[in-house]
């Protein structure tokens, strides 16, 4: 080293000083690793909560459609669509008419237990509530842009489901590809449309770059599944992935599913529905 007078000298540390420096370095490394783990835990919790919310909406829509179709098939023919939303008491799904000034044709309700055998249905024709008007508007605008914007792709023998979500002032519509084959789980070809407070579209995002069909496992049980997120996709598992895993959990033999990106590995554990996110360095260890 060189001091201000220009003389060179070497610096030595006592054994005690070396030990202190080592401890300081170790403390900094541990603190940084802990901070990173905490940050990844927060990200995982946030994605998991969004996926759970999306799953409850889709679950209610699927079971409500079955109930309405099988019990009130003639009135179901008058329906122009449906959407589900959550209240303090549980999940509500409404089916609305096809005309230019639509009304609610039927209302199906489940409690928070999501027991498909415990529901109530009301087929009294009524007007939208104020919150239902917002759901209908953003869903309708999403349907228009999905039909006209080349961002959205359609694959043979599939359909796109519109899932409007309004929570804590944020308004969005997820667009997800509906499963058709009983021995496949479809991931990907999904999108997110964000709206402002006035129900105008402010952003359209492609969540996966393509459609990913994964075998559920049949005679030869599949214990693990995986897919890759490239640079254009989120480095982490998406809420739509979690929604699909939870919807089709009972139809698969999977124990765990991995989502691999350049920097991270997301692992979804099916048994306890637990999500963990690891860095590539942690994963390789």
């Amino acid at each position: 080293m060189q001091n201000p007078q220009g003389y060179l000298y070497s610096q030595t540390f006592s054994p005690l000083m070396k030990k202190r420096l080592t401890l300081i370095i170790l403390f900094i490394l541990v603190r940084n690793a802990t901070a990173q783990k905490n940050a990844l835990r927060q990200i995982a919790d946030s994605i998991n909560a969004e996926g759970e919310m999306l799953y409850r909406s889709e679950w209610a829509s699927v079971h409500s459609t079955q109930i309405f179709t099988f019990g009130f098939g003639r009135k179901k023919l008058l329906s122009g669509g449906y959407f589900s939303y959550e209240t303090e008491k549980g999940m509500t799904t409404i089916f609305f008419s096809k005309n230019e000034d639509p009304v609610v044709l039927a209302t199906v309700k489940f409690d928070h237990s999501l027991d498909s055998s415990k529901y109530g249905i009301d087929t009294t024709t009524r007007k939208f509530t104020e919150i239902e008007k917002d759901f209908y508007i953003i869903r309708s605008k999403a349907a228009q842009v999905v039909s006209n914007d080349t961002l959205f792709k359609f694959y043979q023998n599939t359909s796109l489901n519109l899932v409007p979500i309004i929570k804590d002032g944020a308004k969005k519509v997820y667009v997800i590809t509906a499963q058709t084959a009983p021995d496949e789980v479809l991931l990907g070809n999904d999108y997110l449309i964000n709206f402002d407070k006035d129900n105008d579209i402010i952003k359209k995002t492609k969540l996966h770059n393509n459609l990913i069909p994964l075998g559920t496992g049949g005679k030869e049980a599949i214990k693990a599944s995986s897919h890759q997120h490239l640079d254009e996709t989120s480095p982490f598992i998406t809420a739509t992935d979690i929604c699909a895993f939870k919807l089709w959990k009972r139809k698969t033999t999977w124990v765990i599913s991995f989502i691999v990106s350049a920097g991270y590995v997301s692992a979804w554990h099916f048994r306890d529905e637990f999500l963990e996110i690891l860095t590539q360095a942690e994963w390789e260890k």
Side-chain angles (χ1 to χ4, degrees), residues 111-257:
D111 64 25
H112 287 294
S113 69
L114 298 188
D115 184 340
S116 60
S117 66
K118 298 177 181 178
Y119 66 89
I121 182 168
D122 184 352
T123 56
T124 303
T125 301
R126 63 175 177 83
K127 294 182 179 180
F128 288 121
T129 65
E130 288 303 312
I131 187 63
E132 288 171 349
K133 287 180 183 178
D134 276 348
F135 274 101
Y136 174 77
I137 290 171
I138 64 174
R139 186 194 183 282
S140 297
K141 288 187 175 182
Q144 291 175 2
V145 75
V146 166
S147 298
N148 299 317
D149 194 320
T150 56
L151 173 71
F152 302 89
K153 293 183 179 180
F154 292 85
Y155 289 82
Q156 188 175 9
N157 298 323
T158 68
S159 61
L160 293 179
N161 285 352
L162 304 176
V163 189
I165 301 288
I166 300 177
K167 187 173 179 62
D168 299 328
K171 300 179 180 180
K172 63 189 77 172
V173 174
Y174 281 96
V175 183
I176 61 179
T177 299
Q179 180 188 13
T180 53
D183 58 347
E184 284 184 341
V185 173
L186 297 182
L187 303 177
N189 194 42
D190 45 6
Y191 311 84
L192 177 61
I193 305 173
N194 295 94
F195 294 78
D196 63 17
K197 61 181 179 61
D198 297 317
N199 297 329
D200 292 322
I201 295 175
I202 55 176
K203 188 177 181 181
K204 295 171 288 184
T205 305
K206 193 174 188 177
L207 299 179
H208 286 83
N209 200 40
N210 51 18
L211 184 65
I212 309 164
L214 299 176
T216 59
K219 294 181 180 179
E220 297 182 3
I222 300 172
K223 295 298 183 183
S225 67
S226 67
H227 69 278
Q228 189 174 11
H229 283 185
L230 302 177
D231 292 341
E232 300 86 355
T233 310
S234 167
F236 311 114
I237 190 174
T238 64
T240 51
D241 287 334
I242 291 177
C243 175
F245 292 156
K246 287 176 67 66
L247 280 173
W248 309 115
K249 175 180 176 179
R250 294 183 180 179
K251 294 188 177 182
T252 74
T253 57
W254 301 345
V255 175
I256 192 169
S257 189

Side-chain angles (χ1 to χ4, degrees), residues 46-103:
S46 176
I47 296 173
N48 200 33
E50 186 82 356
E52 174 69 22
M53 182 167 56
L54 185 56
Y55 160 72
R56 290 195 297 268
S57 178
E58 274 293 85
W59 184 96
S61 294
V62 168
H63 288 281
S64 295
T65 299
Q66 293 174 351
I67 293 167
F68 190 35
T69 301
F70 294 144
F72 305 88
R74 290 186 179 180
K75 196 167 188 179
K76 174 67 169 60
L77 295 175
L78 304 175
S79 174
Y82 60 85
F83 56 81
S84 299
Y85 60 94
E86 192 159 8
T87 68
E88 292 182 356
K89 295 182 178 180
M91 296 302 304
T92 296
T93 303
I94 69 162
F95 296 86
F96 53 84
S97 60
K98 296 178 181 179
N99 50 309
E100 292 185 4
D101 188 18
V103 293

Side-chain angles (χ1 to χ4, degrees), residues 5-32:
Q5 286 74 33
Y7 294 101
L8 294 173
Y9 66 90
S10 62
Q11 186 172 7
T12 60
F13 296 98
S14 67
L16 179 60
M17 181 62 73
K18 287 182 178 179
K19 185 176 181 180
R20 288 177 176 175
L21 286 173
T22 300
L23 290 174
I24 290 171
I25 292 170
L26 287 174
F27 172 76
I28 293 172
L29 291 174
V30 170
R31 184 179 63 179
N32 290 343

